[in-house]
Amino acid sequence: MRITLVGSRHFGVITLEMLRNHDVEIARVVVADAEDRLAAAAKAAGIPVTVQANSKNVVASEIAEGTDLIVTAHSHARIGRDALAVSKMGGIGYHPSLLPRHRGIAAVEWTIKEGDPIAGGSIYHLADTMDGGAIALQEWCFVKKGETARELWERALAPLGQKLLGDIIDHAVAHGSLPAVAQDEQFATLAPKLA
C-alpha cells in the first residue's frame, strides 16, 4: 500500500514513524512549510517531500503517483477533490473528538471548555465538509477532572490517534477498503475559534 502523508509538527512526525512500522510504503510527505519538523524527519528517512504551493490547500499534483491512501496528521490544509480523486481509497484524518462533536480547530480545548466528561478520537474520511466525512473508526476516553487541554492531548488523545491510525491502516492493508459510517448531523457542533 502506497501512502501520501500530509501533515506537520510533532503529531506528523510520530505518525510518520508509526507508518514506517506498518506494512506500507510512504510514497511522499506533503507539508505546508519546508522548515517543519515533519519535512526534516521525512528527508532524514529518505522519503520525498513536497511543499504545498498554497498552505491552505493540497492539490492533485502534490499527491504521489500511485497513492492508495492519503493520511493527514496535524494538517489544517483542505485536501481538494482533485487530490482525493487520484488516491485509490481517498483520504483519512484523525480528529481529537467524538465526531460530529467539536468539529473544527481547537476540538480538545472545546472538550475542556464544555466540561465534557468523555472525549475521544475519530478516524474520518476527508470530505468537502470540515471534519464531516464518514467515520472509519472511533474510540472514547474519560476526561480527568481539572485536566487541561494539553494534558488531555498528551495523556490520551495523541496516543489514541496513533493507535486508531495504526488500526485503520492495518484494516486497509488487509481488506483493501475502509469502513464508512455517516456522521449523525443532529449531534454536530462546530467549535468556534477560542478568543
Side-chain angles (χ1 to χ4, degrees):
M1 172 172 294
R2 285 173 56 88
I3 290 180
T4 294
L5 174 62
V6 180
S8 69
R9 300 170 52 181
H10 178 70
F11 194 73
V13 172
I14 62 174
T15 300
L16 174 67
E17 292 309 312
M18 179 274 299
L19 289 171
R20 291 182 70 201
N21 291 318
H22 282 74
D23 189 22
V24 298
E25 174 191 352
I26 305 166
R28 179 176 296 164
V29 168
V30 180
V31 295
D33 178 359
E35 302 302 314
D36 189 90
R37 67 179 93 169
L38 175 57
K43 287 175 187 171
I47 299 167
V49 175
T50 295
V51 178
Q52 297 163 223
N54 177 340
S55 65
K56 295 183 189 286
N57 295 298
V58 174
V59 296
S61 61
E62 295 167 338
I63 302 301
E65 187 175 324
T67 291
D68 294 304
L69 182 64
I70 300 167
V71 175
T72 63
H74 201 175
S75 172
H76 296 296
R78 178 158 308 279
I79 312 299
R81 283 185 192 183
D82 64 327
L84 292 172
V86 299
S87 171
K88 181 179 172 187
M89 288 188 266
I92 57 168
Y94 171 67
H95 191 74
S97 78
L98 291 170
L99 289 174
R101 187 156 177 80
H102 303 311
R103 287 179 179 165
I105 296 174
V108 183
E109 288 84 353
W110 279 101
T111 296
I112 297 298
K113 187 176 176 113
E114 293 290 311
D116 294 354
I118 294 173
S122 305
I123 304 296
Y124 66 100
H125 291 260
L126 303 178
D128 287 338
T129 303
M130 179 184 281
D131 304 328
I135 301 297
L137 190 59
Q138 200 167 50
E139 195 170 308
W140 65 274
C141 64
F142 287 113
V143 178
K144 291 182 178 180
K145 287 202 179 290
E147 192 166 37
T148 67
R150 182 180 189 96
E151 290 166 343
L152 175 59
W153 170 254
E154 290 175 357
R155 175 187 64 82
L157 296 178
L160 180 60
Q162 292 300 296
K163 176 192 175 299
L164 293 175
L165 282 167
D167 289 349
I168 206 67
I169 294 298
D170 289 345
H171 184 280
V173 168
H175 301 283
S177 64
L178 295 169
V181 177
Q183 293 186 37
D184 189 338
E185 291 299 318
Q186 71 176 325
F187 299 110
T189 58
L190 180 61
K193 291 184 180 177
L194 294 172

